[in-house]
Amino acid sequence: MKVLVTGGLGFIGSHTVVQLIEDGMEIVIVDNLYNSKIDVLDRIESITKVRPTYYNADVTDKEEMEKIFAKENIDSIIHFAGYKAVGESCVKPLMYYRNNLDSTLTLLELMEEYHVNNMVFSSSATIYGLPDSVPLTESSPRKEATSPYGETKVMIERILEDVSKVHKEFNIAILRYFNPIGAHKSHLLGEDPNGLPNNLLPYINKVAVGLLPYVNVFGDDYDTPDGTGVRDYIHVVDLAKGHLLALRKLEKNCGLFVCNLGTGKGTSVLEIIHDFEVATGVKIPYKIGPRRLGDIATNYASTDLAKKELGFTCDFTVLDACKDGYDFQLAEEKRRSK
């Protein structure tokens, strides 16, 4: 199977590419390096001994993408490419709507033209908005999202549903991620964003190695046990495995399939900081600040459907992910210092 992976040099994309190659699939990566680095391609090759085909292209550029579709005999698509920072989306909404919607529409039009019937879409638990209750199941109401980023995911899910009604030959898996953390055991792949990290764990990692002075905790007055936000943190290698299992399901012509990918357990910001300290032995200073625009109190998954339909279970704990992410950051700083 030849799989087009958009955003395949990013955090989740690169780990998924490794899983797919190790399963024997042929990979074509499209990534414009907006929030990724070209040396990830070398690292994927170092881990798998296979160098994926790579195109530096923007998925919103239909002319460039059509050249790729015409050249490569693509069987399936995993669509990661998109802007993903909740806070940034609140101040740059047009950028998020243009990029995230256009990239998906481009792929769907080319799927139709080139008879590519299978897609796994990278969605998000943000589509549940302010939840009535947790854990969140796939039948929990899909509400107005609390940020433009989340709203792009809501809109794209609706687009995929409408397209699936017309194109009965399409098999589309919508995977609603919770919070991916951790790194590959090789310490070659991990979350290393360009600029200041928007996500909690890479921020903690940079504090741990002395690149940042302390962790900003956005609010301690939420209705949670310790007042800080509660999320479902899943190891990125487990998340990558979920994409492989979703592709296998699409091969059975399942039509439209929607599934949460998480651990089924919520962990607060302060608990994550404590877990990180336990896993690494590094003390993490933090400061409590005001709430961040677009954040909610509690969000974690029910994983029953993933287990039933995909055979998906998590192999790693939050402690594993904290240790792996920190080890990656240490290795990254050593590589930079050479």
Side-chain angles (χ1 to χ4, degrees):
M1 180 190 296
K2 183 179 283 192
V3 184
L4 172 66
V5 182
T6 71
L9 298 183
F11 176 45
I12 306 171
S14 60
H15 285 82
T16 301
V17 166
V18 167
Q19 288 267 350
L20 301 184
I21 291 174
E22 289 177 344
D23 196 63
M25 297 184 188
E26 186 178 354
I27 304 301
V28 177
I29 294 173
V30 173
D31 196 308
N32 67 357
L33 306 179
Y34 174 80
N35 195 30
S36 57
K37 298 177 176 67
I38 189 59
D39 65 353
V40 170
L41 192 62
D42 296 329
R43 298 182 188 196
I44 291 171
E45 183 179 15
S46 179
I47 293 167
T48 65
K49 312 307 177 190
V50 174
R51 191 172 186 85
T53 301
Y54 167 68
Y55 294 93
N56 185 338
D58 191 319
V59 186
T60 65
D61 187 336
K62 188 174 181 182
E63 184 177 344
E64 283 301 307
M65 291 303 299
E66 185 149 22
K67 292 176 184 177
I68 295 168
F69 272 76
K71 184 176 181 180
E72 304 289 347
N73 187 24
I74 296 163
D75 299 302
S76 300
I77 298 169
I78 301 182
H79 181 28
F80 292 112
Y83 299 152
K84 62 175 187 174
V86 170
E88 182 183 54
S89 77
C90 292
V91 296
K92 298 179 180 179
L94 288 177
M95 184 176 84
Y96 273 69
Y97 285 118
R98 169 68 73 184
N99 183 77
N100 292 4
L101 295 177
D102 274 8
S103 60
T104 307
L105 292 170
T106 294
L107 289 174
L108 288 169
E109 288 170 352
L110 291 172
M111 284 174 66
E112 181 180 37
E113 182 178 349
Y114 286 88
H115 307 291
V116 179
N117 294 335
N118 296 341
M119 174 192 274
V120 177
F121 172 64
S122 167
S123 192
S124 167
T126 59
I127 64 95
Y128 295 114
L130 293 169
D132 297 324
S133 62
V134 288
L136 289 157
T137 71
E138 290 77 6
S139 60
S140 296
R142 186 174 58 194
K143 299 184 175 183
E144 179 179 351
T146 58
S147 69
Y149 159 73
E151 197 60 35
T152 66
K153 297 297 187 182
V154 171
M155 290 180 175
I156 292 168
E157 285 200 9
R158 289 176 178 149
I159 291 168
L160 295 176
E161 289 167 1
D162 287 342
V163 168
S164 295
K165 292 173 185 175
V166 175
H167 288 280
K168 303 296 186 183
E169 74 277 15
F170 279 8
N171 303 294
I172 298 175
I174 296 173
L175 301 183
R176 293 171 177 168
Y177 307 163
F178 281 69
N179 293 68
I181 58 175
H184 192 267
K185 62 184 178 181
S186 65
H187 307 157
L188 290 173
L189 298 178
E191 190 167 12
D192 187 34
N194 296 329
L196 198 65
N198 287 299
N199 295 331
L200 177 60
L201 263 295
Y203 205 105
I204 291 175
N205 284 329
K206 290 190 181 295
V207 171
V209 298
L211 295 177
L212 293 170
Y214 57 85
V215 173
N216 289 298
V217 177
F218 297 109
D220 65 347
D221 58 349
Y222 287 103
D223 184 18
T224 62
D226 61 21
T228 64
V230 171
R231 299 290 183 270
D232 188 335
Y233 294 95
I234 178 173
H235 198 295
V236 65
V237 174
D238 282 327
L239 187 63
K241 179 180 69 174
H243 290 76
L244 173 60
L245 295 172
L247 275 181
R248 288 175 176 165
K249 184 172 181 66
L250 296 187
E251 289 178 328
K252 300 175 182 177
N253 296 317
C254 64
L256 182 70
F257 175 70
V258 181
C259 189
N260 290 335
L261 287 181
T263 67
K265 180 181 183 297
T267 307
S268 76
V269 173
L270 292 183
E271 286 174 331
I272 280 285
I273 291 173
H274 176 262
D275 286 346
F276 186 93
E277 292 175 339
V278 170
T280 66
V282 179
K283 187 70 176 175
I284 300 298
Y286 64 88
K287 290 186 179 180
I288 305 295
R291 294 186 183 192
R292 183 173 56 181
L293 195 63
D295 281 345
I296 63 173
T298 303
N299 189 312
Y300 63 92
S302 165
T303 58
D304 292 346
L305 187 67
K307 185 174 182 179
K308 177 183 176 183
E309 295 293 332
L310 300 180
F312 175 80
T313 56
C314 290
D315 296 323
F316 302 99
T317 66
V318 167
L319 289 172
D320 294 330
C322 287
K323 184 67 166 62
D324 290 341
Y326 176 62
D327 287 344
F328 164 77
Q329 190 71 60
L330 285 176
E332 197 71 355
E333 296 314 310
K334 288 180 181 178
R335 285 188 283 265
R336 288 188 181 117
S337 66
K338 290 181 179 179

